[in-house]
DNA sequence: GCCGTTTTCGGCCCGACTGTTTTCAGTCG
C-alpha cells in the first residue's frame, strides 16, 4: 500500500530528517569525524520531534532562523542547511554525499553486526554497493579474505540478512508488551528470589519497540547463570547473538514477528544502576553521566562512584548509589525522573530544575484515574451487557463509567438508530438509578462525518450525559479538510470529547494529519477534551501531539474504548503515553471527582479557558 | 558540528561481548 500523501507540509520534516540521517551515515561511511555525524544525527532527532511543519515555524526567514537556532542541537550549520532545504528543496552537502556514497550502503548499515567500518571495507575492497552485492560476496567466499572477517562473521551476516527481511518495522507496543511480560515472568519463575524487570523503550512507554530489554539481579552467580541459560534456551529463540556473564542477546520469533531481546545480569547492589542504564534513553544516560562528571563522579551500570577512575567497580570501589534508581538521582541533586520522561524533551538543563520538579509533582499517575468515559456494550459491538460492564467497573475500582455505543453510520459496528439509542439510554438510566457506588452515564460515540457534521442531530445529543465524537471514515483527507472537520466537532456545544482524533492505527494507518495547534486552541476555547485513546493499537492522540495540548492547557480524556473486560486494562498504555507528554493529573477529566465531572458534562464551558 | 556556573577552543558517556586477534577493533546499547 502506498503511503498516504495527504500532508505535504509534514513530509518536509520527514524529508529533512532523512537528509540529516543520510548526512550522518554518509560521513561515517567516508570515515569522517564521528562527532560531526553524531551532531547531524542529533539534528535529525530534533526535527523528528517537531509537531509543526518546519517551514511554518516562522512567518519569515529571519524568524524561522531564530526559532531554529533556539532548538538545542541545531546550530549555525544545521540552520543554514534547513533554510537551504526550505528554499531550494535540497541541501548541497547532502546531494554531494549521495553522489559520493552508493545508496545501497545506507541499507547495509541497517544490517545488525555491520557498522560503518565494515561497510566501508566491503565497499572499497570488494565493490559491494548494497544488500544484493553483499549476498553474492558472502556466497563467493571473498568476504572471508577481508581483514577481521572470518568464517563466523560470514555466518552471522547471513543470518542477520535473513533477520532483516523479517523485521521491516519496529513492533507496536501492543505486540511487544505481552511478549516482554511473558519473558519477564518466565525468568521470575526460574529464580523466584531474583529481581527481574522490563527496561528499555518499553518501560519508557514508547509506542513502537525496536528490541526488548530485561534486567535481572541475583546475589548468587549460579542463579544468574541459570537465568541466562533459561533466556537463551527459550523455545522462541532463533539466534543467540551474545551470551556472557553480564549480558545475553538473542533473536526471537513469536506470533509471526521477529525481534531482538537483551538481558542484563548483575548483583542486587547494582540493580538500580543497571535498570537505569538499560532503560535509557541513550540521551538521558549521556546526560546523567555528564552531570555525574560535573560532581567529580562516574556513573556506569554498576553504580555512581566517587572520582574519575575508569572501571571503578573492578578496583574495589564502593558505589555511592546503585541498588535503586532513586538513589542515583538523589546523589546527583536531581528529582527522581520517571522512565517515561527520560527523553531529551525533559532534559533538566532544558526545562529547568524548578519547572521539572513542578511537572513531576503534578504528573498524572494511573491510580488517579477514576472514570472511563468511552466504552462499548452489546448494544453495539461490545462484548458485555450493561450489568456486566457495571460489575467490571466496580471490580476495577472506577467511580464513573460512561457507556458510549456507536452511532447509526457505523453500520458494521452495530451503530444505533435514534430510536434504539433512546431505548438504550433509558435502560442505562434505569440501571444507574439503582447504583450508589458507581456513577453510570449514558452516552454515545458519535461519528464525525467527512464534512464535519455529526451522526445524530443536536437535539438527540442534548439528551445524552456524555458525547464522544470520533472520526471513523475518510481518514485520508488532506490536512485542511481534516482540520475543518475536527474543528466543527470540537466547537459543537454538545460534544464533550474528541475521540481518537486522527483515527490512526500504530504502524499500519497514518490517519488524519490535522493542524494540532488549531485543534488545541479550539478545544481550549470551548472546554472540549481531546482524547488519548488508550488502546495500544491507537494511542491517539500520540505523545508528541499531546505535548502540544499540555502546553496549551487543554483538557484531556484518557479512555480505554473498551469492548471487553480485558480491554479496560489498556488504561496503563494510555497513562504511560500521557506521562510521556508530561500531562498534569488535573488536566485529565478522568481524574476528577464525580461532582466536578458532572458539572463539566452539564456545561463544558466551565472547563474552557478563562471561565 | 555543537556548545559553554570550569571553556568561544577543545573537548564530546561508558562498558560488554564477539571474533579475530596475540592485545584489541568493531559493534551495540
Amino acid at each position: 500500500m502506498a503511503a498516504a500523501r495527504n500532508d505535504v507540509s509534514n513530509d518536509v520534516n520527514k524529508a529533512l530528517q532523512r537528509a540529516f540521517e543520510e548526512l550522518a551515515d554518509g560521513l561515517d561511511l567516508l570515515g569522517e569525524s564521528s562527532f560531526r555525524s553524531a551532531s547531524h544525527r542529533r539534528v535529525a532527532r530534533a526535527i523528528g520531534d517537531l509537531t509543526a511543519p518546519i517551514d511554518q515555524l516562522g512567518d519569515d526567514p529571519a524568524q524561522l532562523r531564530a526559532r531554529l537556532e533556539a532548538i538545542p542541537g541545531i546550530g549555525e550549520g544545521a540552520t543554514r542547511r534547513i533554510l537551504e532545504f526550505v528554499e531550494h528543496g535540497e541541501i548541497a552537502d547532502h546531494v554531494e554525499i549521495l553522489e559520493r556514497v552508493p545508496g545501497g550502503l545506507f541499507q547495509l548499515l541497517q544490517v545488525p553486526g555491520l557498522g560503518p567500518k565494515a561497510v566501508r571495507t566491503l565497499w572499497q575492497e570488494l565493490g559491494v554497493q548494497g544488500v544484493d552485492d553483499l549476498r553474492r560476496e558472502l556466497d563467493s567466499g571473498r568476504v572471508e579474505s577481508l581483514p577481521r572477517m572470518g568464517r563466523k562473521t560470514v555466518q552471522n551476516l547471513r543470518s542477520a540478512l535473513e533477520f532483516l527481511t523479517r523485521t521491516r518495522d519496529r513492533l507496536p507496543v501492543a505486540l511487544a508488551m505481552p511478549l516482554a511480560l511473558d519473558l519477564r515472568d518466565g525468568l521470575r519463575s526460574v529464580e523466584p528470589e531474583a529481581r527481574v524487570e522490563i527496561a528499555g523503550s518499553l518501560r519508557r512507554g514508547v509506542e513502537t519497540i525496536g528490541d526488548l530489554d530485561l534486567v535481572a539481579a541475583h546475589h548468587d552467580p549460579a542463579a544468574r547463570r541459570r537465568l541466562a541459560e533459561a533466556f537463551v534456551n527459550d523455545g522462541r529463540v532463533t539466534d543467540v547473538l551474545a551470551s556472557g556473564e553480564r549480558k545475553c542477546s538473542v533473536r526471537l520469533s513469536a506470533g509471526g514477528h521477529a525481534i531482538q531481546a537483551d538481558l542484563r545480569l548483575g548483583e542486587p547492589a547494582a540493580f538500580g544502576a543497571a535498570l537505569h542504564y538499560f532503560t535509557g534513553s541513550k540521551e538521558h544516560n549521556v546526560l546523567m553521566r555528564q552531570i555525574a562528571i560535573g560532581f567529580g563522579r562516574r556513573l556506569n551500570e554498576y553504580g555512581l562512584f566517587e572520582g574519575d577512575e575508569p572501571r571503578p567497580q573492578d578496583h574495589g570501589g564502593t558505589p555511592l548509589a546503585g541498588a535503586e534508581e532513586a538513589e542515583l538521582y538523589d546523589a546527583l541533586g536531581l528529582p527522581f525522573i520517571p522512565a517515561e520522561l527520560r527523553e531529551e524533551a525533559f532534559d533538566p538543563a532544558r526545562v529547568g530544575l524548578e519547572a521539572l520538579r513542578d511537572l513531576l509533582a503534578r504528573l498524572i499517575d494511573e491510580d488517579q484515574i477514576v472514570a472511563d468515559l468511552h466504552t462499548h456494550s452489546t448494544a453495539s459491538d461490545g462484548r458485555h451487557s450493561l450489568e456486566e460492564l457495571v460489575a467490571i467497573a466496580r471490580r476495577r475500582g472506577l467511580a464513573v463509567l460512561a457507556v458510549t455505543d456507536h452511532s447509526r453510520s457505523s453500520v458494521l459496528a452495530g451503530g444505533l438508530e435514534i430510536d434504539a439509542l433512546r431505548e438504550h439510554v433509558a435502560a442505562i438510566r434505569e440501571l444507574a438509578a439503582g447504583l450508589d457506588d458507581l456513577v453510570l452515564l449514558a452516552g454515545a460515540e458519535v461519528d464525525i462525518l467527512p464534512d464535519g457534521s455529526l451522526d445524530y442531530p443536536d437535539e438527540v445529543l442534548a439528551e445524552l450525559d456524555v458525547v464522544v465524537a470520533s472520526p471513523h471514515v475518510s481518514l485520508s483527507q488532506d490536512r485542511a479538510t481534516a482540520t475543518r472537520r475536527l474543528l466543527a466537532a470540537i466547537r459543537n456545544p454538545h460534544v464533550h470529547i474528541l475521540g481518537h482524533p486522527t483515527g490512526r492505527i500504530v504502524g499500519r494507518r497514518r490517519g488524519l494529519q490535522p493542524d494540532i495547534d488549531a485543534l488545541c486552541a479550539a478545544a481550549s476555547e470551548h472546554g472540549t477534551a481531546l482524547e488519548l485513546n488508550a488502546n495500544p493499537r491507537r494511542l491517539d492522540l500520540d505523545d508528541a501531539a499531546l505535548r502540544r495540548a499540555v502546553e496549551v492547557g487543554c483538557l484531556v480524556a484518557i479512555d480505554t474504548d473498551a469492548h471487553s473486560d480485558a480491554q479496560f486494562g489498556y488504561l496503563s498504555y494510555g497513562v504511560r503515553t500521557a506521562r510521556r507528554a508530561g500531562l498534569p493529573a488535573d488536566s485529565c477529566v478522568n481524574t476528577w471527582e464525580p461532582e466536578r465531572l458532572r458539572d463539566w458534562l452539564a456545561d463544558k464551558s466551565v472547563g474552557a479557558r478563562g471561565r
Side-chain angles (χ1 to χ4, degrees):
Chain A
M1 193 175 67
R5 294 185 59 83
N6 60 357
D7 180 11
V8 174
S9 7
N10 240 352
D11 287 343
V12 171
N13 293 19
K14 290 238 160 58
L16 254 175
Q17 186 179 5
R18 189 175 158 80
F20 276 95
E21 279 164 3
E22 287 179 345
L23 262 173
D25 286 346
L27 290 177
D28 282 343
L29 290 166
L30 292 169
E32 305 274 339
S33 153
S34 60
F35 294 113
R36 277 176 69 203
S37 58
S39 178
H40 285 313
R41 259 183 213 105
R42 186 144 188 253
V43 173
R45 270 202 312 277
I47 294 169
D49 286 342
L50 294 174
T51 51
I54 205 162
D55 50 346
Q56 292 171 25
L57 228 49
D59 296 330
D60 56 73
Q63 193 181 32
L64 177 54
R65 174 182 294 275
R67 298 250 164 97
L68 286 172
E69 289 194 335
I71 299 172
I74 296 187
E76 205 183 313
T79 300
R80 177 178 57 74
R81 290 184 176 87
I82 292 168
L83 290 173
E84 187 184 343
F85 188 91
V86 169
E87 197 178 338
H88 300 110
E90 61 180 30
I91 300 169
D93 292 347
H94 178 227
V95 172
E96 190 199 327
I97 288 277
L98 294 185
E99 281 166 0
R100 291 174 66 191
V101 180
L105 298 190
F106 295 97
Q107 281 167 299
L108 281 183
L109 284 177
Q110 304 305 310
V111 178
L114 276 188
K117 297 274 168 50
V119 172
R120 185 172 154 83
T121 305
L122 287 165
W123 173 34
Q124 308 227 303
E125 299 299 320
L126 299 178
V128 169
Q129 301 202 357
V131 172
D132 291 338
D133 288 351
L134 176 60
R135 277 211 183 84
R136 194 187 59 237
E137 293 301 323
L138 286 172
D139 290 340
S140 79
R142 279 190 286 270
V143 172
E144 268 185 66
S145 67
L146 296 176
R148 305 199 62 78
M149 291 275 180
R151 172 163 305 225
K152 195 72 209 279
T153 302
V154 167
Q155 197 180 320
N156 288 345
L157 284 176
R158 279 215 176 88
S159 73
L161 281 175
E162 210 252 320
F163 176 71
L164 201 64
T165 62
R166 288 189 297 143
T167 54
R168 216 155 297 133
D169 297 309
R170 293 163 63 86
L171 213 52
V173 64
L175 299 169
M177 184 63 92
L179 181 56
L181 288 171
D182 191 62
L183 289 170
R184 183 199 68 182
D185 295 343
L187 292 174
R188 283 181 179 173
S189 71
V190 168
E191 289 295 334
E193 300 288 303
R195 285 180 82 176
V196 186
E197 294 295 344
I198 294 169
S201 54
L202 207 46
R203 180 166 179 242
R204 300 203 311 279
V206 179
E207 66 189 33
T208 62
I209 306 302
D211 51 30
L212 306 178
D213 299 302
L214 293 152
V215 179
H218 200 292
H219 60 84
D220 178 7
R224 293 203 294 270
R225 274 196 297 278
R226 286 193 290 273
L227 287 166
E229 276 168 26
F231 185 70
V232 301
N233 290 320
D234 185 286
R236 292 162 290 197
V237 168
T238 56
D239 301 270
V240 178
L241 300 171
S243 178
E245 201 179 322
R246 297 183 172 85
K247 205 176 114 176
C248 300
S249 191
V250 299
R251 291 194 189 115
L252 298 162
S253 188
H257 301 276
I259 191 166
Q260 183 175 326
D262 300 321
L263 171 67
R264 187 90 198 180
L265 296 150
E267 294 277 350
F271 183 74
L275 181 63
H276 182 267
Y277 153 76
F278 231 32
T279 295
S281 64
K282 193 177 169 193
E283 292 74 32
H284 183 76
N285 286 350
V286 170
L287 176 83
M288 290 280 283
R289 287 169 179 182
Q290 282 166 341
I291 291 172
I293 290 170
F295 277 86
R297 295 170 178 170
R298 191 179 184 91
L299 176 63
N300 60 27
E301 54 265 51
Y302 298 97
L304 178 68
F305 298 85
E306 202 65 66
D308 61 356
E309 182 194 25
R311 309 189 57 84
Q313 67 277 8
D314 291 347
H315 305 101
T318 306
L320 302 164
E324 303 297 335
E325 282 186 327
E327 301 171 4
L328 300 177
Y329 288 97
D330 197 44
L332 293 176
L334 292 172
F336 179 79
I337 300 176
E340 300 92 333
L341 298 185
R342 296 179 195 170
E343 305 288 350
E344 275 183 307
F346 296 100
D347 175 350
R350 190 190 290 198
V351 299
L353 214 48
E354 273 313 299
L356 184 61
R357 282 186 210 281
D358 180 57
L359 186 159
L360 293 173
R362 298 188 299 140
L363 187 66
I364 191 161
D365 201 67
E366 185 168 346
D367 60 21
Q368 292 170 300
I369 299 228
V370 293
D372 198 332
L373 302 176
H374 183 174
T375 68
H376 295 271
S377 76
T378 48
S380 62
D381 59 349
R383 192 181 296 173
H384 303 293
S385 67
L386 295 176
E387 290 77 9
E388 288 166 341
L389 284 175
V390 166
I392 291 166
R394 279 180 170 145
R395 176 160 45 76
R396 291 182 178 267
L398 290 175
V400 179
L401 176 74
V403 180
T404 54
D405 281 300
H406 287 283
S407 61
R408 53 189 175 178
S409 284
S410 288
V411 177
L412 287 178
L416 300 171
E417 293 294 339
I418 292 176
D419 289 346
L421 173 68
R422 285 184 165 135
E423 276 181 39
H424 185 45
V425 167
I428 295 171
R429 295 242 161 89
E430 190 184 337
L431 182 58
L435 303 174
D436 53 8
D437 57 341
L438 177 74
V439 177
L440 182 65
L441 299 173
E445 180 182 16
V446 186
D447 267 47
I448 306 173
L449 303 175
D451 66 355
S453 64
L454 298 179
D455 200 17
Y456 292 133
D458 280 0
E459 61 268 26
V460 172
L461 298 180
E463 298 171 25
L464 302 169
D465 301 327
V466 183
V467 174
V468 179
S470 315
H472 288 104
V473 295
S474 294
L475 298 176
S476 327
Q477 286 174 325
D478 64 71
R479 182 181 181 85
T481 309
T483 303
R484 276 198 304 276
R485 175 187 187 184
L486 298 176
L487 283 176
I490 289 172
R491 290 173 179 147
N492 185 307
H494 301 292
V495 171
H496 300 102
I497 297 168
L498 183 68
H500 49 73
T502 75
R504 75 167 185 153
I505 302 293
V506 176
R508 275 189 38 213
R509 182 168 75 203
R510 189 176 184 183
L512 301 173
Q513 300 275 298
D515 180 339
I516 294 293
D517 287 342
L519 297 191
C520 291
S524 184
E525 181 188 345
H526 293 275
T528 310
L530 299 178
E531 184 178 72
L532 164 49
N533 191 292
N535 185 318
R537 285 168 188 80
R538 292 189 181 272
L539 295 175
D540 181 11
L541 295 173
D542 68 12
D543 51 4
L546 207 63
R547 218 167 277 164
R548 300 295 299 153
V550 169
E551 283 166 19
V552 177
C554 286
L555 295 178
V556 171
I558 305 177
D559 292 317
T560 63
D561 196 357
H563 289 65
S564 67
D565 186 358
Q567 292 183 1
F568 281 87
Y570 287 164
L571 182 61
S572 61
Y573 291 103
V575 173
R576 266 199 292 273
T577 301
R579 287 165 66 86
R580 287 181 60 76
L583 180 70
D586 193 57
S587 294
C588 176
V589 298
N590 309 74
T591 68
W592 292 356
E593 294 289 318
E595 197 75 351
R596 184 179 176 194
L597 188 62
R598 274 184 187 283
D599 285 348
W600 172 68
L601 291 171
D603 177 8
K604 68 172 179 171
S605 65
V606 302
R609 262 269 161 99
R611 300 273 172 144

